Amino acid sequence: MTIQNSDTGDADVIKRRAADRSGMPGRRRGIQGWLDGIRSTRTGALTLKIVVGVIGTVMVVGGLIMVPFPGPGWLVVFAGLAVLATEFHWAHKVLEFGKRVLHAWTEWYKRQGWTVRIIVLAVTLAAAGVIVYLGLRTVGFDVIRFALSYVHT
């Protein structure tokens, strides 16, 4: 047995040889390996669940608040579910369900003719317009009154 120049003497060599003889898979690398290292203790696993739960929940709630407004609301909801799915099985199931529904909607929409596509676009734009109008009204800005003030002058 040769001893490598190491602070731990031949312990590194012995551990490496034992790992090579073992039938167990090697430790994962990258983010998964890092997460596995955290999960290796009860405290680390609980802390990771809490941190992931808080971050994922904030993302999902924030995304749901953004959904009625133009922007990336649903994208943030799905990203939050993806974060939660790293630690919670139920979130993984919800995420998979959401992906299936989105895929089914997209496939249905692709099969439709131009008339249905234009109607869906018009309804989407009208809903977004009403939501933006009501959102601005809640902060005290009436877009219609503002526009009419320019028409009547």
Side-chain angles (χ1 to χ4, degrees), residues 27-130:
R27 183 179 165 126
R28 296 191 283 186
R29 298 188 187 279
I31 188 93
Q32 287 302 323
W34 180 70
L35 291 174
D36 288 345
I38 292 173
R39 289 186 192 108
S40 65
T41 65
R42 286 180 58 169
T43 304
L46 179 62
T47 302
L48 185 62
K49 267 196 184 294
I50 291 170
V51 169
V52 166
V54 168
I55 291 171
T57 301
V58 166
M59 289 175 71
V60 169
V61 170
L64 288 173
I65 290 170
M66 290 190 293
V67 163
F69 301 101
W74 283 113
L75 180 65
V76 175
V77 170
F78 278 103
L81 283 173
V83 168
L84 287 169
T86 63
E87 288 298 313
F88 301 100
H89 183 67
W90 63 265
H92 180 72
K93 291 172 78 171
V94 171
L95 182 62
E96 291 303 315
F97 172 76
K99 285 197 249 181
R100 283 193 311 272
V101 169
L102 179 62
H103 181 71
W105 162 256
T106 305
E107 291 302 313
W108 175 84
Y109 186 73
K110 285 183 199 175
R111 290 191 306 268
Q112 302 310 306
W114 285 106
T115 307
V116 173
R117 288 183 180 193
I118 290 171
I119 291 170
V120 168
L121 177 64
V123 168
T124 302
L125 291 175
V130 167

Side-chain angles (χ1 to χ4, degrees), residues 1-16:
M1 175 187 292
T2 60
I3 298 176
Q4 289 188 349
N5 188 5
S6 170
D7 293 338
T8 57
D10 60 350
D12 291 337
V13 175
I14 294 169
K15 286 193 294 185
R16 192 174 301 116

Side-chain angles (χ1 to χ4, degrees), residues 128-144:
V130 167
I131 290 166
V132 168
Y133 171 73
L134 292 174
L136 290 172
R137 282 281 309 261
T138 60
V139 296
F141 184 73
D142 190 348
V143 177
I144 294 175

